[in-house]
Amino acid sequence: MAKQPPTDQKAKPSSASSSARGRNPATPARAADSYPWRRVLFGCLVVLVCWGIGIQREYPEAVNTRLKVAQDWVFSRLWTQLSAHSNARIHPLRKPLWAQVRGGSSVLELGPGYGDALAQLTAAPARYVALEPNPYLHPKLAENARANGFAVQYDNEAREEKQSKNRDHAKEDTKKEMPAFVIVNGTLDGGAQGMIPKYVTDHAPYDYVVTSLVLCSVDSVQANLDAIQALLKPGGKYIFVEHVRHSHAHKQQQPGDGLDVAKWARIQSLVSRVAWPFTGNCHFDRNTGDMLKAMGGWSSVDYKTSVKADSLEAKMTPLIYGTATKK
């Protein structure tokens, strides 16, 4: 019987087993047919961003209008939570200032929000014009005005005029013997020579213009200050409580003496660059007091500074409060 040729007992390792030996046993094998989801999702994101940029360039006005509506809605929800805490902080500073408003006078308030400052008036003005650009705040603003003895009206450009409930209230209020409180939808960002709402200019000049934490969120502080001065009567007063950038030149350093002013000024600038879309365009680094003093046309600019370190909010928002009187 013929001998069988000897066979090699050492089998040649297959390529599959070789690669298996070279792989870390703890690493699971990647499926050959796995789908590159991350790349697909990233690609979709890039397409959406490019599409958004294209829409913004093609229809800038429409996009900006939609963004403004969204920003107003977000801020109205945010302010609902923050207004009570903010009022508790500024009411003691605002009360003696608002007490200067004489009965029978004309008042223009910029950005009244929910109208929380109305309760601090000690005399009823003859006419109170509330220039509030966020229509989501109008209903509660009207409610607070009525609670403080005003007859609420709406300028034709105020969005809430279109709502029947508020319109009916306004018609009822005009029949009552109460001082007029007129809600106007708009701002002074156009400046003294710009597109200020017609109702505001038609009823100028005013005895008082008042603001509380407003100039931090306008497009141009200087344009607003110019318009405020132009809308005042000679001898009229601009009354304000505003938060500003930290400065070594502050007149009054309350318990915040130990703050590192330069450090917190840098933090204010950094936060302002990224937070404004979510805070109603609020900026923490504005030099409103210095700008007021640098303007001509005032017979006096008198304000104090409140700097405290008892909370993050206080550290981020030192306050100036006082009056500027027109020549």
Side-chain angles (χ1 to χ4, degrees):
M1 185 169 69
K3 290 184 177 180
Q4 295 293 332
T7 57
D8 189 358
Q9 299 298 324
K10 295 181 179 180
K12 186 176 180 181
S14 65
S15 59
S17 61
S18 297
S19 60
R21 281 199 301 267
R23 188 187 301 123
N24 186 346
T27 305
R30 184 175 180 180
D33 59 344
S34 62
Y35 198 78
W37 289 109
R38 292 183 180 179
R39 294 183 181 181
V40 171
L41 291 175
F42 179 75
C44 291
L45 180 61
V46 171
V47 170
L48 287 173
V49 170
C50 293
W51 178 73
I53 293 174
I55 293 294
Q56 165 68 21
R57 291 181 176 179
E58 188 71 19
Y59 309 102
E61 291 186 6
V63 172
N64 290 337
T65 298
R66 293 300 180 95
L67 288 176
K68 175 65 167 56
V69 170
Q71 188 181 46
D72 284 349
W73 183 86
V74 170
F75 180 75
S76 69
R77 297 303 182 268
L78 183 66
W79 192 240
T80 299
Q81 305 299 322
L82 297 179
S83 60
H85 179 69
S86 177
N87 287 331
R89 183 184 174 206
I90 68 172
H91 270 352
L93 307 180
R94 186 163 54 189
K95 186 175 182 179
L97 295 173
W98 261 240
Q100 297 181 35
V101 175
R102 301 188 311 272
S105 60
S106 58
V107 180
L108 170 64
E109 182 172 8
L110 311 185
Y114 289 142
D116 298 311
L118 295 175
Q120 297 187 303
L121 294 172
T122 57
R127 179 178 299 275
Y128 200 107
V129 179
L131 187 60
E132 175 50 64
N134 190 331
Y136 293 103
L137 305 181
H138 289 177
K140 191 171 181 180
L141 172 60
E143 179 183 331
N144 280 337
R146 292 188 185 99
N148 284 279
F150 287 95
V152 176
Q153 303 170 27
Y154 292 89
D155 176 51
N156 290 333
E157 297 180 4
R159 181 179 299 183
E160 291 301 322
E161 178 64 21
K162 300 177 182 178
Q163 299 188 10
S164 60
K165 180 179 178 181
N166 289 287
R167 184 173 61 247
D168 292 342
H169 276 307
K171 288 180 178 178
E172 293 174 7
D173 287 348
T174 56
K175 301 176 183 178
K176 301 175 182 178
E177 295 295 329
M178 296 190 296
F181 185 93
V182 185
I183 297 176
V184 182
N185 195 355
T187 70
L188 297 185
D189 275 320
Q193 307 300 323
M195 297 299 293
I196 297 173
K198 188 174 184 298
Y199 188 95
V200 173
T201 55
D202 284 351
H203 291 82
Y206 298 90
D207 296 300
Y208 304 94
V209 177
V210 297
T211 66
S212 298
L213 309 183
V214 170
L215 296 186
C216 58
S217 58
V218 299
D219 290 341
S220 169
V221 176
Q222 190 61 61
N224 276 260
L225 292 177
D226 290 341
I228 287 169
Q229 191 178 86
L231 291 168
L232 281 168
K233 295 178 180 179
K237 287 187 176 183
Y238 169 42
I239 302 174
F240 56 89
V241 179
E242 296 290 340
H243 70 76
V244 294
R245 180 184 175 88
H246 277 286
S247 169
H248 289 289
H250 286 160
K251 285 185 177 180
Q252 175 184 350
Q253 299 289 325
Q254 288 182 346
D257 281 347
L259 285 176
D260 185 335
V261 172
K263 169 189 170 183
W264 281 98
R266 291 193 298 270
I267 293 174
Q268 286 177 303
S269 296
L270 178 62
V271 174
S272 295
R273 293 172 186 169
V274 297
W276 64 267
F278 312 103
T279 57
N281 199 43
C282 181
H283 292 70
F284 299 91
D285 56 350
R286 296 197 159 163
N287 297 311
T288 306
D290 294 339
M291 297 174 74
L292 263 173
K293 285 187 171 184
M295 289 177 65
W298 302 116
S299 61
S300 66
V301 176
D302 182 23
Y303 67 84
K304 297 179 180 179
T305 305
S306 173
V307 182
K308 295 187 178 182
D310 54 356
S311 68
L312 178 60
E313 178 192 6
K315 293 177 182 178
M316 286 294 296
T317 56
L319 300 172
I320 61 171
Y321 56 102
T323 61
T325 304
K326 184 176 178 177
K327 289 181 179 178

